[in-house]
């Protein structure tokens, strides 16, 4: 178990856990891994996902309505770890469900479930003291977001406090697909490179093989989120795993 | 200073009120928050900024607002002397313009031409649209569909003033969802837009900045009550949604330990989650958590999902509360009670018929608490109510809830 990108560019697949249901998310994640995803970001559905665009908002709303909780997502993570011992697994959450569980208890549970790392959308490095302490104690990789608007001093702190990989946001804005990979992305990755040897993964608006190829020219991995969630939204549950497997296999051509 | 903004000793981040506050936002916004914090610090230290703001508050908005002795109401209740701080008489009809004007001036200094804001009851949206019209700036207001329906008049006012009002259908389609959508806009247009947050909420520096723009309420009231009564009030009552009018009314009195500070939350129609917006009440389901950039009390379920809320007043209908109130709650310096929809409606009628003043439904929650409290106090005591807004915007709700149409039809 580790976060590593053996084939370049690496693929990180984001899934909203519990959309359409936990068993289907499990099958989808396994299909993504078996078709070339190096890392699965398992998203904890949240009632107020303010960094997300309409696609992930809708998925989150559906999963919350089904009563999916952080503990359910941890249970799913445990199943994925048992089924795919060498896959990279990251828990992706807004902060409040984690605060509600308790930071130390959460980190212990994430480690016990077999997570490699954690990404908290609304946690910035300056506020992360207790979080980083608990993460370190449980040998989990904290992954922070870096934005095109982050000045170099912030990128340096973000790089210094991240493990596993650094998540470079390709453009200002919320999650969602777009036509082209934003010009902001390569500049941000170049600025981040000054401060870290960690892999740099680019996300937000990456939705097809062409985007993945473009990202591969300047970064280590591409993160696919809304495109997968949208595919799952429009595919009947029993066909979703096969559809996602095929989609992920087609991302690296 | 018990309520000074402090730096988190663990992380070095400013904007803490005891354990509460801080900054919990997507990284994309951090540069903008740092820029805002720096620009605000410079403006706040600049006498020219304050001179322009004070001039507009006086000549354009009508400050100082009166501190009015509600004689008939006081006599009817037979207890403390009730004084009303008349923020309802301010231009645009509520305290919200104090902050919208301050932040509008700041945005202009920062060279931002596009303004975004959220609104619940519509008062902050109207205030922001007003300031944008005054300064010739572009204005986009996010408002929950449910709030657009129940505060329809304010939607028309904003549009008349030239603002674009964007409805928000997600979640409960109220204030919380409007804030999320405004933050999404800000994340996307952060390089060109200024977000005028309307309450003492959100990530640092907003809770401090918004409170400072409303401190004028308490500063004036302190002078006025000393002049009129020769002593400080025994208690100050204010409604608390996000808590901007309350913190503005309370702040100057924090060092005066004998002045009781009472915040009134929306008790809605019951104590179950989803039936109220009473974050501080035991049994209510409010515990410390993170919502929309700040650490404070949040109504949520045991898995950390944010609860829906209910109040007859759109401006109090919010799942969290300003972080400075969380600190004042924990320290005991302020106490927080709740008032039901029914009591707020009754208080509206009482104030209208004893004093000829129609309070906003939000402010009516504070009036209701004053009505409850005054008879328990000495006749020499002064009880001050921050009348944060006027009730014209609520006429549709009042007509329905109080059955005024039926009464009129029957020639009552």
């Amino acid at each position: 178990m580790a976060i590593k990108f053996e084939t370049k560019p690496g693929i990180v697949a984001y899934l909203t856990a519990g959309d359409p249901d936990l068993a289907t998310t499990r099958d989808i994640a396994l299909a993504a891994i078996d078709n070339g995803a190096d890392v699965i970001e398992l998203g904890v559905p949240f009632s107020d996902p303010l960094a997300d665009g309409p696609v992930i908002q809708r998925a989150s709303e559906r999963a919350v309505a089904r009563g999916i909780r952080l503990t359910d997502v941890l249970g799913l993570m445990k199943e994925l770890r048992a089924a795919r011992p060498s896959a990279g697994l990251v828990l992706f959450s807004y902060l409040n469900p984690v605060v509600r569980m308790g930071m130390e208890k959460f980190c212990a549970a994430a480690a016990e479930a077999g997570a490699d790392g954690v990404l908290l959308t609304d946690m910035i490095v300056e506020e992360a003291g207790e979080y980083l302490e608990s993460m370190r104690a449980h040998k989990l990789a904290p992954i922070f977001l870096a934005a095109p608007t982050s000045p170099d001093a912030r990128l340096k702190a973000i790089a210094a406090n991240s493990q596993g990989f650094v998540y470079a946001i390709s453009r200002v804005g919320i999650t969602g697909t777009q036509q082209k990979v934003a010009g902001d992305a390569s500049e941000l990755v170049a600025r981040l490179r000054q401060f870290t040897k960690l892999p740099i993964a680019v996300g937000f608006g990456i939705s097809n093989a062409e985007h993945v190829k473009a990202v591969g020219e300047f970064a280590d991995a591409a993160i696919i989120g809304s495109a997968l969630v949208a595919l799952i939204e429009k595919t009947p549950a029993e066909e979703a795993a096969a559809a996602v497997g095929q989609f992920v296999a087609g991302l690296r051509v | 200073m018990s309520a000074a903004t402090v730096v988190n000793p663990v992380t070095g981040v400013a904007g803490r009120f005891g354990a509460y506050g801080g900054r919990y936002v997507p990284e994309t916004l951090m540069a903008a928050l740092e820029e805002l914090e720096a620009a605000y610090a410079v403006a706040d230290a600049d006498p020219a900024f304050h001179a322009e703001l004070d001039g507009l508050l006086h000549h354009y908005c009508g400050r100082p607002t009166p501190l009015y002795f509600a004689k008939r109401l006081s006599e009817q209740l037979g207890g403390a002397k009730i004084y009303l701080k008349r923020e309802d008489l301010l231009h645009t009809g509520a305290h919200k313009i104090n902050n919208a004007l301050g932040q509008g001036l700041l945005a202009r200094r920062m060279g931002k031409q596009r303004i975004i804001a959220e609104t619940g009851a519509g008062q902050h949206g109207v205030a922001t649209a007003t300031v944008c019209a005054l300064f010739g700036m572009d204005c986009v207001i996010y408002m929950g569909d449910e709030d657009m329906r129940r505060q329809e008049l304010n939607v028309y006012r904003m549009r008349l003033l030239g603002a674009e009002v964007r409805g928000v259908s997600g979640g409960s389609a109220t204030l919380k969802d409007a804030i999320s959508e405004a933050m999404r806009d800000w994340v996307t247009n952060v390089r060109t837009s200024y977000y005028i947050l309307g309450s003492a909420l959100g990530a640092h520096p907003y809770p401090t900045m918004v409170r400072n723009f409303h401190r004028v309420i308490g500063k004036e009231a302190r002078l006025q009550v000393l002049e009129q009564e020769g002593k400080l009030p025994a208690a100050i009552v204010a409604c608390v949604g996000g808590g901007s009018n309350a913190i503005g009314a309370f702040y100057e009195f924090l060092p005066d330990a004998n002045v009781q500070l009472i915040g009134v939350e929306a008790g809605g129609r019951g104590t179950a989650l989803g039936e109220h917006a009473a974050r501080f009440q035991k049994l209510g389901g409010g515990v410390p958590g993170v919502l929309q950039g700040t650490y404070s009390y949040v109504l949520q379920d045991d898995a950390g999902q944010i609860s829906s809320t209910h109040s007859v007043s759109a401006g109090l209908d919010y799942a969290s509360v300003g972080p400075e109130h969380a600190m004042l709650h924990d320290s005991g310096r302020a106490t927080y009670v709740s008032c039901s929809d029914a009591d707020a409606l009754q208080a509206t009628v009482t104030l209208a018929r004893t004093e000829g003043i129609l309070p906003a439904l939000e402010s009516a929650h504070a009036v209701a608490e004053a009505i409850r409290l005054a008879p328990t106090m000495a006749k020499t005591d002064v009880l001050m109510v921050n009348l944060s807004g006027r009730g014209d915007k609520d006429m549709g709700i009042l007509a329905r809830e109080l059955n005024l149409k039926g009464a009129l039809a029957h020639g009552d």
Side-chain angles (χ1 to χ4, degrees):
Chain A
M1 59 186 270
I3 296 170
K4 53 186 184 302
F5 302 107
E6 281 172 350
T7 314
K8 294 291 168 73
I11 301 283
V12 178
Y14 168 90
L15 301 169
T16 300
D19 177 48
D21 58 70
L22 287 167
T24 305
T25 304
R26 175 184 179 275
D27 294 345
I28 291 170
L30 296 179
I33 294 165
D34 295 344
N35 284 280
D38 303 283
V39 174
I40 300 293
E41 283 181 352
L42 207 50
V44 178
F46 183 52
S47 53
D48 297 81
L50 61 81
D52 284 301
V55 169
I56 295 178
Q57 281 178 50
R58 286 198 301 271
S60 206
E61 204 165 298
R62 287 191 295 267
V64 169
R66 294 182 66 89
I68 306 298
R69 309 159 60 96
L70 174 54
T71 47
D72 298 318
V73 183
L74 288 163
L76 175 58
M77 170 98 21
K78 202 169 186 172
E79 284 185 54
L80 292 177
R81 175 52 72 213
R84 297 294 181 273
S86 62
L89 298 177
V90 172
L91 261 173
F92 188 106
S93 185
Y94 285 85
L95 191 48
N96 197 57
V98 170
V99 170
R100 186 69 201 243
M101 180 177 278
M103 192 58 83
E104 168 57 28
K105 194 176 162 198
F106 164 76
C107 289
E112 205 265 322
D116 297 300
V118 173
L119 193 159
L120 299 176
T121 323
D122 40 1
M123 176 66 93
I124 57 166
V125 283
E126 289 90 336
E127 299 283 7
E130 183 196 358
Y131 167 59
L132 289 172
E133 226 168 86
S134 295
M135 291 289 283
R136 209 172 297 126
H138 294 283
K139 300 189 169 53
L140 290 166
I143 296 156
F144 285 97
L145 299 160
T149 48
S150 308
D152 283 358
R154 296 196 59 78
L155 293 184
K156 191 175 177 183
I158 287 162
N161 287 290
S162 292
Q163 291 173 37
F165 64 91
V166 181
Y167 189 132
I169 300 174
S170 73
R171 53 164 162 76
V172 296
I174 51 179
T175 59
T177 58
Q178 63 192 9
Q179 292 288 310
K180 280 177 62 183
V181 176
D184 281 350
S186 60
E187 193 217 315
L188 171 61
V189 172
R191 288 198 297 131
L192 262 173
R193 277 283 182 241
Q194 304 171 252
F195 306 113
T196 185
K197 293 191 168 63
L198 285 174
I200 298 172
V202 173
F204 281 40
I206 313 297
S207 61
N208 58 38
E210 193 190 327
H211 294 163
V212 172
K213 185 163 176 285
V215 166
E217 282 164 19
F218 59 87
D220 302 292
I223 304 165
I224 326 290
S226 295
L228 280 174
V229 175
L231 175 64
I232 294 162
E233 182 176 50
K234 71 175 190 196
T235 308
E238 60 278 11
E239 297 164 24
V244 167
Q246 194 182 3
F247 180 84
V248 172
L251 286 173
R252 255 187 312 225
V253 289
Chain B
M1 289 283 287
S2 59
T5 302
V6 295
V7 170
N8 181 341
V10 181
T11 64
V13 177
R16 287 277 161 182
F17 303 93
Y20 302 102
R23 270 180 182 160
Y24 299 95
V25 292
E27 173 62 23
T28 305
L29 291 180
M30 277 307 296
L33 287 170
E34 286 174 348
E35 181 195 6
L36 176 59
E37 181 181 19
Y40 173 64
V42 172
D44 192 41
D46 181 357
F49 176 79
H50 287 286
E52 184 170 14
L53 177 56
D54 292 349
L56 284 166
L57 286 174
H58 177 57
H59 295 291
Y60 183 66
C61 299
R63 297 215 76 92
T65 58
L67 182 69
Y68 165 72
F69 173 41
K71 189 160 177 285
R72 287 196 71 216
L73 180 65
S74 302
E75 283 172 2
Q76 188 175 311
L77 295 168
K81 296 177 79 170
I82 297 175
Y83 276 81
L84 306 175
K85 179 60 176 164
R86 299 292 307 274
E87 293 296 294
D88 61 314
L89 291 177
L90 210 50
H91 181 42
T92 70
H95 72 292
K96 294 290 186 187
I97 192 86
N98 299 326
N99 169 55
L101 201 51
Q103 289 200 54
L105 280 172
L106 185 57
R108 203 180 62 180
R109 275 174 82 104
M110 293 171 73
K112 308 275 187 182
Q113 177 62 24
R114 180 176 182 270
I115 301 295
I116 48 183
E118 85 296 338
T119 196
Q123 290 302 110
H124 174 59
V126 167
T128 301
T130 298
V131 167
C132 289
L134 180 64
F135 295 158
M137 299 192 286
D138 303 327
C139 183
V140 176
I141 304 290
Y142 290 93
M143 189 169 188
D145 284 346
E146 165 67 12
D147 290 340
M148 285 180 74
R149 188 187 58 71
R150 57 182 167 168
Q151 305 279 219
E152 194 181 18
L153 284 179
N154 275 342
V155 176
Y156 298 147
R157 286 173 79 192
M158 288 183 269
R159 287 180 177 153
L160 179 66
L161 289 159
E164 181 192 343
V165 183
R166 294 186 185 167
V168 179
S169 60
S172 53
T174 59
L175 179 58
K176 166 172 78 73
D177 312 289
I179 293 177
S180 285
E181 206 56 33
M183 287 183 79
R184 290 183 187 114
D185 182 317
W186 198 31
V187 169
T188 307
N189 301 293
V190 62
R191 287 166 172 142
T192 57
S193 299
Y194 183 105
Y195 179 20
I196 301 189
L197 185 57
S199 194
L201 295 169
H204 177 66
Y206 282 107
T208 301
M209 181 169 70
V210 174
R211 176 252 280 153
N212 286 347
F213 285 133
H214 286 304
R215 279 174 69 174
V216 64
I217 302 170
K219 277 184 189 168
E220 286 176 7
R222 202 169 195 287
L223 292 173
Q224 289 166 324
V225 75
L226 286 173
E227 188 187 308
Q228 294 174 46
E229 284 288 332
K231 64 177 179 182
L232 293 176
I236 301 173
V237 183
C239 65
V240 181
S244 67
N245 91 80
I247 202 70
F250 292 172
Y251 193 75
E252 296 304 312
F253 296 89
L254 287 176
D256 305 307
N258 291 332
V259 178
Q260 209 189 340
L261 306 174
I262 302 164
V264 187
E265 302 185 279
R269 57 193 170 203
T271 55
L273 263 185
E275 297 293 304
H276 62 86
R279 292 73 36 116
F280 291 128
Q281 307 307 312
K282 288 196 171 58
L283 307 174
V287 294
V290 171
L291 180 63
Q292 295 172 332
T294 194
Y295 180 62
S296 184
Y297 280 69
V298 182
L299 290 168
Q300 53 183 301
D301 68 16
D302 62 1
Q305 303 294 352
I306 309 306
S307 166
S308 62
T309 51
H310 164 81
S311 171
V312 70
S313 72
L316 303 184
D317 203 351
Y318 184 61
S320 185
V321 60
E324 195 161 8
H325 287 292
M327 179 187 75
L328 295 175
H329 169 266
D330 284 10
S331 73
R333 178 63 191 92
T335 49
Y336 295 85
V337 299
S338 73
C339 159
S340 69
D341 286 352
D343 287 350
L345 287 162
Q346 184 54 51
T348 303
V349 175
T350 302
L351 191 65
R353 293 184 180 173
T354 54
E355 296 290 345
I357 294 171
L358 173 58
L361 279 171
E362 289 76 15
S363 321
H365 285 69
V367 175
E369 176 60 15
I371 290 171
R372 196 192 64 76
L373 203 58
T376 69
M377 298 168 69
K379 287 194 175 187
T380 50
D381 281 343
V382 171
L383 173 56
M384 193 175 102
V385 178
N386 194 33
L387 203 70
S388 55
R390 70 182 187 216
D392 308 52
K393 69 182 176 62
D394 298 317
M395 278 319 302
I397 298 169
L398 292 169
R400 192 176 61 247
E401 295 287 336
L402 302 173
N403 204 19
L404 296 178
K405 283 177 185 164
L408 285 174
H410 291 93
D412 181 33

